[in-house]
Amino acid sequence: MVKINGEEKNAMGKTIGEYLTESGYDVKRVAVELNGDILPKTQYESTVLKGGDSVEIVSFVGGG
């Protein structure tokens, strides 16, 4: 299991990019922290989630 935003998810074997797309996130408007480190967007498609990983996804919203 992978902990994503505090919830256990069965996302092992998926890339960060796959998980974001499947979950409806706009990749251009999020930041991802993997095991305490900010993950560069260039690594979303090559970083595969493993059991025990901890992921935090933060969405950016515009407004005024």
Side-chain angles (χ1 to χ4, degrees), residues 16-17 20-21 25-31 41 44-45:
I16 295 287
L20 292 172
T21 300
Y25 287 99
D26 180 351
V27 177
K28 295 176 187 174
R29 299 186 65 87
V30 297
K41 290 184 187 301
Y44 288 4
E45 296 303 325

Side-chain angles (χ1 to χ4, degrees):
M1 297 297 275
V2 178
K3 186 175 276 192
I4 300 177
N5 290 346
E7 295 182 26
E8 295 288 332
K9 304 276 186 176
N10 187 12
M12 291 184 303
K14 294 181 182 180
T15 66
I16 295 287
E18 289 170 335
Y19 178 81
L20 292 172
T21 300
E22 289 174 8
S23 299
Y25 287 99
D26 180 351
V27 177
K28 295 176 187 174
R29 299 186 65 87
V30 297
V32 176
E33 181 182 283
L34 176 63
N35 300 323
D37 294 317
I38 299 296
L39 188 67
K41 290 184 187 301
T42 57
Q43 295 180 15
Y44 288 4
E45 296 303 325
S46 61
T47 302
V48 178
L49 293 166
K50 302 177 294 299
D53 279 345
S54 178
V55 179
E56 291 293 326
I57 303 167
V58 179
S59 296
F60 298 106
V61 293

